[in-house]
Amino acid sequence: MATARKPTNPTSANGHAANGGTTNGGLATDDAIQIDSHLGGPEHRTLAEDVLDGLTRPFKELPPKHFYDARGAELFDRICELPEYYPTRTERGILDATAAEIATLTGAVELVELGSGTAAKTRVLLDALHRAGTLERYVPVDVTESMVRDCADELTLEYPGLRVHGVIGDFERHLDRVPPADGPRLVVFLGGTIGNFPPGSRRRFLRQIADLLGPRDHLLMGTDLVKDAGVLKDAYDDQQGVTAEFNRNVLHVLNRELDADFDPGDFDHVALFDDRHEWVEMRLRARREHTVTVGALELDVHFDAGEEMRTEISAKFTRPRLESDLDAAGLQLVRWLTDPEDLFALTLSRPSA
Ligand code: SAH
Ligand code: TRP
């Protein structure tokens, strides 16, 4: 782990800040920002292990957290603006309508956000907590280093007095590195990202989140809801092909990070709604029979023509299923917040008494 105070010296190649804990000058922002990085060497091992595991399964699979390099993050931002991708604007609408109530209910002095990205929607909550006069600290947790750093810089400028303690890391492995809270805490997990976990890991992950919560703390989680299969499919297979490009981006990541020779043009983007599991599945389908070499793994991977590789699931929820998942993690529902069309839901929950 490396801890750096802003302003930082250039970061070294492994992603660790180069300047340990030095402070320069007396600017207010020096103390406003702290960034911890838990990535570096071991992260590469995780990518290699995940890929070796996934590509040698009978039904090939790649884990979704590797979508979000700088280009992937940019493509995801474009997905959020697409007319077909209703989740982002719907979730924002719910936040606009309920943030004041959430601020009152939680009285949170700190907001911890998992998979914070650009924190675009988070500002609605930060505004409400700021207005309520309780907000002291924001703790963004994300694997994408540039996003954590940029959003720390922006938010400390936008909210005078706010401290930002960024955690660059994998929320599946580094939740224990979230710094302890100094008062009521609100953990937020937006964008329906919880739906990217398969059901068993989802419950395990919810239990880990619950471990971050004391008796006065809350979790606010965004989940996409079950709906018409056509609407769902369009949201994950847009006209402009941005989602297809986002999906194929994972192949560019493997080429760069693991010395693989995927030709992304050899794969078609596939999105389908599995109505038995109630999840959308993203796949990449090989256009022709061919073999790919992953240099760093000394691995040859054969693809049949038409063979599909799973890249992500995005589970869609109903209220009863969500309540039972929360219950299994020791959490109880406090508020069920949805839009007028019941497209998307935010659940506010707290540790069960
Ligand atoms: N919260 C934002 C972004 C959602 S996209 C929104 O609602 O729009 C998912 C985000 O989670 C990305 O920023 C990605 O970098 C991050 N992410 C994905 N898997 C992660 C992991 N295992 N650990 C930490 N962050 C992760
Ligand atoms: N968490 C987002 C979701 O499940 C991520 C996402 C949106 C995504 N579109 C995608 C992931 C396309 C892979 C491919 O809605």
Side-chain angles (χ1 to χ4, degrees):
M1 182 194 106
T3 298
R5 294 244 159 198
K6 196 194 164 218
T8 54
N9 293 330
T11 25
S12 58
N14 65 4
H16 284 193
N19 70 331
T22 44
T23 39
N24 298 328
L27 297 172
T29 52
D30 284 6
D31 296 320
I33 297 180
Q34 180 175 342
I35 309 274
D36 301 338
S37 177
H38 304 289
L39 302 183
E43 187 55 25
H44 275 82
R45 256 206 328 273
T46 318
L47 173 67
E49 280 165 7
D50 287 352
V51 170
L52 178 61
D53 193 34
L55 287 183
T56 55
R57 288 185 186 181
F59 190 122
K60 298 184 181 70
E61 179 164 19
L62 289 172
K65 67 180 158 227
H66 308 298
F67 277 120
Y68 299 92
D69 63 343
R71 179 164 178 268
E74 206 181 295
L75 286 165
F76 182 70
D77 267 358
R78 285 178 56 201
I79 289 178
C80 292
E81 305 281 318
L82 292 169
E84 294 96 334
Y85 196 71
Y86 61 85
T88 307
R89 60 176 176 273
T90 309
E91 187 176 41
R92 180 194 301 272
I94 303 171
L95 283 169
D96 284 335
T98 60
E101 184 190 2
I102 293 167
T104 310
L105 277 167
T106 62
V109 303
E110 97 164 7
L111 193 73
V112 176
E113 180 165 23
L114 309 179
S116 44
T118 57
K121 288 167 292 187
T122 316
R123 284 166 169 84
V124 180
L125 284 169
L126 293 171
D127 283 345
L129 291 168
H130 194 63
R131 233 176 275 129
T134 57
L135 182 67
E136 291 171 9
R137 184 166 73 164
Y138 175 56
V139 182
V141 181
D142 205 289
V143 267
T144 309
E145 169 160 2
S146 57
M147 303 234 247
V148 175
R149 293 192 183 280
D150 292 351
C151 112
D153 289 344
E154 287 167 19
L155 291 173
T156 46
L157 288 175
E158 287 171 36
Y159 299 89
L162 179 71
R163 283 179 291 124
V164 176
H165 189 147
V167 178
I168 301 164
D170 180 344
F171 53 50
E172 290 187 67
R173 294 187 298 133
H174 300 127
L175 278 194
D176 58 335
R177 314 293 172 86
V178 169
D182 242 348
R185 159 188 275 177
L186 174 61
V187 175
V188 300
F189 193 25
L190 301 178
T193 307
I194 188 70
N196 301 140
F197 287 84
S201 335
R202 181 201 304 152
R203 288 196 172 184
R204 191 172 60 221
F205 187 61
L206 283 173
R207 274 198 298 277
Q208 286 169 15
I209 296 179
D211 286 342
L212 290 176
L213 304 179
R216 292 181 303 168
D217 299 343
H218 289 82
L219 168 66
L220 182 71
M221 188 164 69
T223 47
D224 199 9
L225 300 178
V226 172
K227 61 181 62 63
D228 175 71
V231 173
L232 286 170
K233 194 174 173 327
D234 288 350
Y236 292 89
D237 193 4
D238 64 280
Q239 290 281 318
Q240 296 172 52
V242 182
T243 306
E245 217 24 62
F246 178 67
N247 195 5
R248 279 192 284 260
N249 184 57
V250 73
L251 303 178
H252 292 285
V253 173
L254 300 193
N255 286 350
R256 189 183 62 233
E257 301 293 329
L258 297 178
D259 189 25
D261 62 357
F262 280 98
D263 177 353
D266 277 337
F267 291 86
D268 286 322
H269 168 68
V270 178
L272 54 93
F273 181 56
D274 175 337
D275 57 8
R276 191 165 61 88
H277 292 108
E278 297 185 318
W279 64 46
V280 171
E281 223 173 282
M282 247 74 62
R283 298 178 178 179
L284 289 168
R285 184 197 291 138
R287 289 190 178 174
R288 58 179 180 95
E289 182 186 356
H290 69 290
T291 297
V292 171
T293 300
V294 187
L297 301 175
E298 295 177 33
L299 179 72
D300 287 335
V301 189
H302 178 83
F303 289 91
D304 290 327
E307 182 174 344
E308 294 182 353
M309 165 167 68
R310 186 186 299 117
T311 50
E312 174 143 284
I313 64 161
S314 185
K316 307 303 160 192
F317 292 81
T318 57
R319 179 169 174 166
R321 192 143 51 79
L322 204 43
E323 284 195 56
S324 81
D325 282 344
L326 290 170
D327 187 59
L331 296 169
Q332 80 183 74
L333 189 66
V334 176
R335 285 284 187 284
W336 171 261
L337 308 163
T338 185
D339 56 289
E341 295 175 81
D342 274 335
L343 295 172
F344 198 92
L346 281 174
T347 52
L348 186 69
S349 59
R350 62 160 182 251
S352 315

